[in-house]
Amino acid sequence: MSTVEGHSGKLIFGKLGGVDILAMQGRFHFYEGYSMKEVTFPVRVMYELGIKTLFVSNAAGGMNPQFKIGDLMIITDHINFFPEHPLRGKNFPTGPRFPDMHETYDQQLIQLATEIAKEKSIRITSGVYIGVQGPTFETPAEYKMYHLFGADAVGMSTVPEVIVAHHCGIRTFGISVITDLGGFDDPVEVSHEEVQEAANAAQPFMTEIMREMIIRSEKIDSQHTETFNTNHPTEGWK
């Protein structure tokens, strides 16, 4: 089970708008000492259960000067900066040995989320997420380096699960709650408690977007009938 404070480690089954839902309340992190196979094992299980769509959320540090604490950032792409790749080793028959990663995050779902946020007057941003090992928060120099790499937000999760989901043919939508800012002229200290507080404040807006997305995406494409949502930000860590 997850060892991080705030991650209850529960697996929840239910329905939302007539759609079957399987939710992970908390996740496994590489920095906790789990292997990449263990970190991504829940996604493998979801695939075997017939999951077609993955909704993934996280708390992240923002490096884009346009961001504010509490912003929701739709993930348009990611940079894998973990020291171990989740597909390393014998290839699973769920996908090719060398999977294409050009559209890792589903464009139709991104457009849908953007439209819903606009309808409901919810401030939304978008950008690139970089996944790092942790568990330390980033130094000012690291924040600047990651931003130079092309990242808008940084966190300690999400990327391994998304890679495995993509390898399995599961379409994916990701969203980050910007819980702290870094890489600017005035360094700001950050704590886990502050991350949780910012995530809690953003929770209702993210939940509203995701709830409506699940209902509408079912109408758009009846083939995608099940959704897996991992790491609710109120339970979350980077």
Side-chain angles (χ1 to χ4, degrees):
M1 62 180 295
S2 178
T3 63
V4 182
E5 181 182 351
H7 284 244
S8 58
K10 295 180 180 178
L11 193 62
I12 302 172
F13 295 80
K15 283 184 178 290
L16 181 59
V19 182
D20 293 326
I21 299 296
L22 177 56
M24 279 187 67
Q25 200 171 23
R27 57 151 56 94
F28 304 118
H29 298 82
F30 188 67
Y31 65 73
E32 294 178 83
Y34 293 108
S35 68
M36 276 297 177
K37 285 185 172 55
E38 291 172 322
V39 168
T40 58
F41 180 72
V43 178
R44 298 285 185 192
V45 173
M46 304 309 160
Y47 169 78
E48 295 297 334
L49 291 175
I51 294 300
K52 299 295 191 300
T53 305
L54 170 70
F55 283 66
V56 61
S57 63
N58 59 59
M63 299 165 293
N64 188 317
Q66 303 300 317
F67 288 176
K68 301 175 182 178
I69 292 179
D71 273 351
L72 299 176
M73 185 194 85
I74 295 174
I75 303 175
T76 57
D77 203 350
H78 72 231
I79 299 172
N80 181 16
F81 211 63
F82 282 89
E84 181 182 333
H85 199 283
L87 298 182
R88 178 178 178 270
K90 184 179 179 180
N91 186 49
F92 280 81
T94 54
R97 171 75 280 185
F98 304 106
D100 179 83
M101 301 294 289
H102 275 85
E103 191 180 319
T104 311
Y105 298 86
D106 189 89
Q107 290 299 314
Q108 187 181 41
L109 293 176
I110 290 174
Q111 182 180 353
L112 180 60
T114 303
E115 292 172 356
I116 292 170
K118 184 177 181 180
E119 290 174 12
K120 297 182 177 295
S121 299
I122 297 174
R123 174 179 163 84
I124 200 80
T125 63
S126 62
V128 176
Y129 175 92
I130 184 168
V132 300
Q133 175 176 306
T136 55
F137 288 112
E138 293 68 39
T139 67
E142 287 171 338
Y143 271 123
K144 292 178 181 178
M145 178 183 70
Y146 295 148
H147 191 45
L148 287 173
F149 282 173
D152 298 286
V154 57
M156 307 170 193
S157 64
T158 302
V159 172
E161 299 102 304
V162 169
I163 289 175
V164 170
H166 190 69
H167 184 257
C168 291
I170 299 173
R171 67 175 185 167
T172 303
F173 173 79
I175 192 166
S176 296
V177 178
I178 304 302
T179 54
D180 56 283
L181 299 171
F184 310 125
D185 292 335
D186 298 322
V188 179
E189 293 185 9
V190 62
S191 69
H192 180 48
E193 291 72 26
E194 290 172 324
V195 167
Q196 287 187 306
E197 183 178 346
N200 288 341
Q203 171 198 342
F205 304 108
M206 191 204 71
T207 301
E208 188 171 1
I209 291 173
M210 283 192 167
R211 180 188 295 115
E212 191 65 25
M213 284 183 69
I214 292 170
I215 294 171
R216 294 191 194 183
S217 62
E218 166 67 5
K219 296 177 182 178
I220 290 173
D221 189 347
S222 60
Q223 292 181 351
H224 301 293
T225 58
E226 292 147 330
T227 303
F228 164 52
N229 176 21
T230 179
N231 196 35
H232 197 288
T234 56
E235 310 297 324
W237 186 257
K238 286 187 181 180

